[in-house]
Amino acid sequence: EIGIRDYQTSHRTIQLPGLVNIAAFVPGLVSRDSDDLQRITKASVAAGFSMIRVMPVGKDGSISDVKSLKIAQQNGKRGAYCDFNLSIAATSDNASQISHAAGEVGSMFIPFNHLSDNISKVAAVEAHFDAWPTHKPIITDAWTNDLASILLLASLHNRRIHVTAVILKDDIKLIAMAKEKGLKVTCDVSIYALYLSQKDYPSCQFLPTAEDQAALWEHMETIDVFSIGSLPYQLAHFLNQPADVTVGIADALPLLLTSVAEGKLTIDDIKAKLHDNPKEIFELHDQVGTSLEVEIDRPYVKEDTGSWSPMTGKVLKASIQRVTFQDQVVCLDGSILPVPPRGNDMSTHVAMPPVAAISSPAV
Amino acid sequence: EIGIRDYQTSHRTIQLPGLVNIAAFVPGLVSRDSDDLQRITKASVAAGFSMIRVMPVGKDGSISDVKSLKIAQQNGKRGAYCDFNLSIAATSDNASQISHAAGEVGSMFIPFNHLSDNISKVAAVEAHFDAWPTHKPIITDAWTNDLASILLLASLHNRRIHVTAVILKDDIKLIAMAKEKGLKVTCDVSIYALYLSQKDYPSCQFLPTAEDQAALWEHMETIDVFSIGSLPYQLAHFLNQPADVTVGIADALPLLLTSVAEGKLTIDDIKAKLHDNPKEIFELHDQVGTSLEVEIDRPYVKEDTGSWSPMTGKVLKASIQRVTFQDQVVCLDGSILPVPPRGNDMSTHVAMPPVAAISSPAV
Ligand SMILES: [Zn+2]
Ligand SMILES: [Zn+2]
Ligand SMILES: [Zn+2]
Ligand SMILES: [Zn+2]
Ligand SMILES: [Zn+2]
Ligand SMILES: [Zn+2]
Ligand SMILES: [Zn+2]
Ligand SMILES: [Zn+2]
């Protein structure tokens, strides 16, 4: 229907399945009694993300052993507003420990640029490849030569690898070439990296240059997944803006849908890169009774909501009308309803079937 | 026969085919009117090397385009005492030029650590892979992450790649793993790197540590080729010794054969890694009427010959008795006979058959 406010253009209401943010940055992840995870799940579900994969690297520490994993799990028990899973981060010397945590996390993240010693990087990561269960996903944020190294290991070990937060032209080209040649590599791009560049924020090294950004758009078919990642938080920090832990989450879908309104993306791109592909790559559970309704083609100026966003004051052409989670409406016309937290820790969902289920007689 | 000097041990005389040094460092390679190549071919044939593959990187410049190639070819016309071939070096921006020189050189060398800009290394090399004829050898001296990058490109392009002058434990392990996983990679180790380490020359970064060196010996089956390389010249420079351009050449075979005498290597290792494998990997011509006779098990102290060697004063247990090149004895009991230079520039030998031979009717 065309309503009274529809003076500028006709608009469309579109149904989408519950979306997945495969890289949710939770600053206080391993800080005792942090409510960051709860706040982020709340902002996520309101923004259409009914499932988040929590990055194992926080602001003040990482999930890198059983002890830090326990803290994150404990924080998860405060109540989450959407489903989530946890991962473990590889460090230079935890290859022997990660297998102990493997059953309780969704994937291993290799923060390649953070391993300390340059000389033995390949060797350190090789040990992790051998220690990690073959069926579980491996994710890395490696750039340039580090990316090439880890792709080589993946190639030689015949392992799937997911590259997160690609921003460089050469890297997306390398991934495109690797895919073309049959390597089992997938990748995501942070949504902000598609809309903000060093042209907007000079010398901001974790943003793409204008040239990099153009290459990302040109390689849209190479990009398997859109993510939120830590880029919004990093940008706020870089600009000395008071960074809310939920920064960037609310902007994600309106930005992408605005590109749909402008003919630069399709609804199928959104579905593929925020639902179908994340579910397939990370073997995520299906979320029944979960969906959202969005409206596109109605332009508005993004207002200041009290928490900083680089998008404030910009014209967006899409908004989220309704979010249904587990058959309950949790968000209506942008307002979060007073519902209890009903999300679950799904970390063990993709774990191997328990040994008992294999070894004991089935009938 | 046991001669009069054979008081210490019985000795053996062994016939070997003419040997190949796949990495001959020629300092004045692209300097006009340099006689370095001539001097090096003379020292080579006297040391049992009847074929040398000249590294395209000299002291004051590289063969990186048609112009520098011409100078090297001109220097080769002064007369060479053994056969040789030339190669071309990849630079950050000569990908489009190398194909013009491809027909006149034996291989492309990618001096990975010398390309200027870190960020686009992988991209720069990718262009060379695409520009270089698929049947011609590619060689690199890459280490650590650079090595991983180039192995990835080789893997993705299904190309053979030869890694020269491996010295690091992690690198030989990576190559061993890559071979095991089916990658078409071969490698050589500089002979000095098997006998000298940072234990002998502390803080000499281009020598292996004692641990690296032990790893090289442990991976002897991974090492396809022994080479001379630029290591002897670099070491002389590092130690501020007056470096003769022929440094290291005369030591090569006596060192290896001493290890045979000591049971650490076999004659078959020498034949494989200095003749059979080099010929196969680099598709070298067969040298008829070319052979050498060596004697092992007769210990002697290496004398000062006037030109510096780190081996002077050390006990060696093998020596070269006779070298025959093109059916002519050119060296007897260590003395070079007054023979004319009869070596040839074999650079075009492995080139593609000329188009005419393919397209014109054969009968
Ligand atoms: Zn409407
Ligand atoms: Zn392995
Ligand atoms: Zn679904
Ligand atoms: Zn389940
Ligand atoms: Zn004798
Ligand atoms: Zn290519
Ligand atoms: Zn032969
Ligand atoms: Zn020939």
Side-chain angles (χ1 to χ4, degrees):
Chain A
E1 88 273 34
I2 306 277
I4 192 150
R5 296 186 302 152
D6 306 333
Y7 54 92
Q8 188 155 355
T9 174
S10 67
H11 61 273
R12 289 182 283 162
T13 300
I14 291 160
Q15 305 284 334
L16 288 171
L19 305 179
V20 181
N21 174 18
I22 67 144
F25 178 66
V26 179
L29 178 66
V30 294
S31 309
R32 274 179 212 285
D33 301 319
S34 163
D35 63 356
D36 285 359
L37 180 60
Q38 187 173 47
R39 293 174 62 201
I40 284 162
T41 55
K42 197 169 191 175
S44 294
V45 79
F49 295 93
S50 49
M51 170 72 193
I52 63 172
R53 303 192 69 257
V54 177
M55 295 170 71
V57 179
K59 185 170 154 280
D60 302 313
S62 304
I63 300 178
S64 59
D65 53 21
V66 173
K67 188 171 155 246
S68 47
L69 175 61
K70 285 274 169 293
I71 299 173
Q73 286 170 334
Q74 208 55 44
N75 287 335
K77 292 204 174 95
R78 298 171 78 92
Y81 288 84
C82 68
D83 293 339
F84 65 96
N85 72 13
L86 301 173
S87 294
I88 190 163
T91 67
S92 285
D93 53 11
N94 75 342
S96 60
Q97 291 157 56
I98 53 160
S99 54
H100 297 126
E104 296 186 58
V105 294
S107 65
M108 173 171 64
F109 179 64
I110 306 183
F112 214 76
N113 289 304
H114 302 121
L115 291 181
S116 52
D117 55 339
N118 259 316
I119 199 79
S120 64
K121 268 184 174 178
V122 179
V125 174
E126 147 76 358
H128 286 86
F129 267 77
D130 289 337
W132 190 245
T134 51
H135 66 291
K136 299 201 84 154
I138 301 178
I139 299 156
T140 187
D141 64 353
W143 286 9
T144 64
N145 270 8
D146 291 334
L147 176 59
S149 295
I150 205 158
L151 292 184
L152 173 68
L153 287 181
S155 173
L156 295 178
H157 286 76
N158 198 28
R159 294 283 297 250
R160 287 186 298 131
I161 180 92
H162 180 84
V163 185
T164 192
V166 178
I167 65 162
L168 299 176
K169 178 183 174 178
D170 284 342
D171 288 353
I172 195 72
K173 281 172 72 179
L174 180 64
I175 291 166
M177 181 187 68
K179 282 186 170 202
E180 203 183 299
K181 307 272 183 191
L183 195 72
K184 291 180 277 184
V185 56
T186 53
C187 71
D188 68 77
V189 167
S190 299
I191 295 163
Y192 267 17
L194 293 170
Y195 298 97
L196 302 172
S197 76
Q198 291 183 34
K199 213 171 149 184
D200 307 300
Y201 300 104
S203 79
C204 183
Q205 297 294 323
F206 44 86
L207 279 177
T209 63
E211 191 190 347
D212 289 325
Q213 191 180 68
L216 294 177
W217 279 95
E218 277 159 28
H219 285 81
M220 192 51 71
E221 81 290 350
T222 300
I223 301 170
D224 300 279
V225 174
F226 296 139
S227 67
I228 297 176
S230 58
L231 183 48
Y233 192 87
Q234 282 180 283
L235 182 63
H237 185 83
F238 176 81
L239 298 171
N240 282 316
Q241 293 288 349
D244 190 277
V245 295
T246 64
V247 59
I249 297 174
D251 292 337
L253 200 51
L255 279 170
L256 293 170
L257 290 171
T258 295
S259 290
V260 173
E262 293 170 350
K264 293 172 186 161
L265 289 174
T266 66
I267 285 293
D268 280 348
D269 286 330
I270 311 283
K271 271 189 198 154
K273 297 180 206 291
L274 286 177
H275 178 270
D276 304 349
N277 296 346
K279 287 205 128 93
E280 194 182 320
I281 295 166
F282 299 105
E283 295 170 16
L284 303 176
H285 67 295
D286 206 49
Q287 297 182 291
V288 290
T290 300
S291 63
L292 48 151
E293 200 180 289
V294 298
E295 197 177 63
I296 68 173
D297 295 328
R298 195 201 293 279
Y300 63 96
V301 173
K302 178 164 163 74
E303 286 171 16
D304 188 340
T305 58
S307 65
W308 178 81
S309 160
M311 301 304 162
T312 300
K314 303 212 166 148
V315 174
L316 294 173
K317 299 179 182 172
S319 56
I320 299 163
Q321 303 290 93
R322 178 199 298 264
V323 179
T324 306
F325 181 62
Q326 296 179 0
D327 292 314
Q328 184 176 34
V329 177
V330 296
C331 187
L332 209 52
D333 284 324
S335 301
I336 303 173
L337 304 180
V339 292
R342 289 168 59 191
N344 290 305
D345 181 348
M346 302 300 294
S347 302
T348 59
H349 181 74
V350 288
M352 265 193 293
V355 175
I358 296 171
S359 61
S360 62
V363 187
Chain B
E1 91 272 32
I2 307 278
I4 192 152
R5 295 186 303 152
D6 304 334
Y7 53 91
Q8 189 158 353
T9 176
S10 67
H11 62 273
R12 290 182 282 162
T13 299
I14 291 161
Q15 304 284 333
L16 288 172
L19 304 180
V20 182
N21 174 18
I22 67 144
F25 179 67
V26 179
L29 179 66
V30 294
S31 307
R32 273 179 213 285
D33 301 320
S34 162
D35 62 357
D36 285 0
L37 180 60
Q38 186 173 47
R39 293 174 61 202
I40 284 163
T41 55
K42 196 169 192 175
S44 294
V45 79
F49 295 93
S50 50
M51 169 72 194
I52 63 172
R53 303 192 69 257
V54 177
M55 296 170 70
V57 179
K59 184 171 154 280
D60 301 314
S62 303
I63 300 178
S64 60
D65 54 20
V66 173
K67 187 169 156 249
S68 46
L69 175 61
K70 284 274 169 294
I71 298 173
Q73 287 170 333
Q74 207 56 46
N75 288 333
K77 294 206 174 93
R78 299 171 77 92
Y81 287 84
C82 68
D83 292 340
F84 66 94
N85 72 13
L86 300 172
S87 294
I88 190 163
T91 67
S92 286
D93 53 11
N94 75 342
S96 60
Q97 291 157 56
I98 53 160
S99 54
H100 297 125
E104 296 186 57
V105 294
S107 66
M108 173 171 63
F109 179 64
I110 307 183
F112 213 76
N113 289 302
H114 303 120
L115 291 180
S116 53
D117 54 339
N118 261 317
I119 199 78
S120 64
K121 268 184 175 179
V122 181
V125 174
E126 146 75 359
H128 286 84
F129 267 77
D130 290 338
W132 191 244
T134 49
H135 67 292
K136 297 200 85 156
I138 301 177
I139 299 156
T140 186
D141 63 353
W143 288 8
T144 65
N145 270 9
D146 291 333
L147 176 59
S149 296
I150 205 159
L151 292 184
L152 174 69
L153 287 181
S155 172
L156 296 177
H157 286 75
N158 197 30
R159 293 284 295 251
R160 286 185 299 130
I161 180 92
H162 180 83
V163 185
T164 192
V166 178
I167 65 161
L168 299 177
K169 177 184 173 176
D170 283 343
D171 288 353
I172 195 73
K173 282 172 70 178
L174 180 65
I175 291 167
M177 180 186 71
K179 281 186 171 202
E180 201 184 300
K181 308 270 183 193
L183 195 72
K184 290 180 277 185
V185 56
T186 52
C187 71
D188 69 76
V189 167
S190 299
I191 295 164
Y192 268 16
L194 292 171
Y195 298 97
L196 301 172
S197 76
Q198 291 184 33
K199 213 170 148 185
D200 306 301
Y201 300 103
S203 79
C204 182
Q205 298 292 323
F206 44 85
L207 280 177
T209 63
E211 191 190 347
D212 288 326
Q213 192 181 66
L216 294 177
W217 279 94
E218 278 159 27
H219 286 81
M220 191 52 70
E221 81 290 351
T222 300
I223 301 170
D224 299 281
V225 174
F226 297 139
S227 66
I228 297 176
S230 58
L231 183 49
Y233 192 87
Q234 282 180 283
L235 182 63
H237 185 83
F238 176 80
L239 297 172
N240 281 315
Q241 293 288 348
D244 190 278
V245 295
T246 63
V247 61
I249 297 174
D251 293 337
L253 200 52
L255 279 170
L256 292 171
L257 289 171
T258 295
S259 290
V260 172
E262 293 171 349
K264 293 172 187 162
L265 289 174
T266 66
I267 286 292
D268 279 350
D269 286 331
I270 311 284
K271 271 188 197 155
K273 297 179 207 292
L274 285 178
H275 177 270
D276 303 349
N277 296 346
K279 287 204 127 93
E280 194 183 320
I281 295 166
F282 298 105
E283 296 169 17
L284 303 176
H285 67 295
D286 206 47
Q287 296 181 291
V288 291
T290 299
S291 63
L292 49 150
E293 201 181 289
V294 298
E295 197 178 62
I296 66 172
D297 296 327
R298 194 203 295 280
Y300 64 96
V301 173
K302 180 168 162 71
E303 286 171 16
D304 189 340
T305 59
S307 66
W308 177 82
S309 160
M311 300 305 161
T312 300
K314 302 213 167 148
V315 174
L316 294 174
K317 299 178 182 174
S319 55
I320 298 165
Q321 304 291 92
R322 177 199 298 264
V323 179
T324 306
F325 182 63
Q326 296 179 2
D327 292 314
Q328 183 177 33
V329 177
V330 296
C331 187
L332 209 53
D333 284 325
S335 301
I336 304 173
L337 304 179
V339 293
R342 290 168 59 191
N344 290 304
D345 182 347
M346 302 300 295
S347 301
T348 59
H349 180 75
V350 289
M352 266 193 293
V355 174
I358 297 169
S359 60
S360 63
V363 187

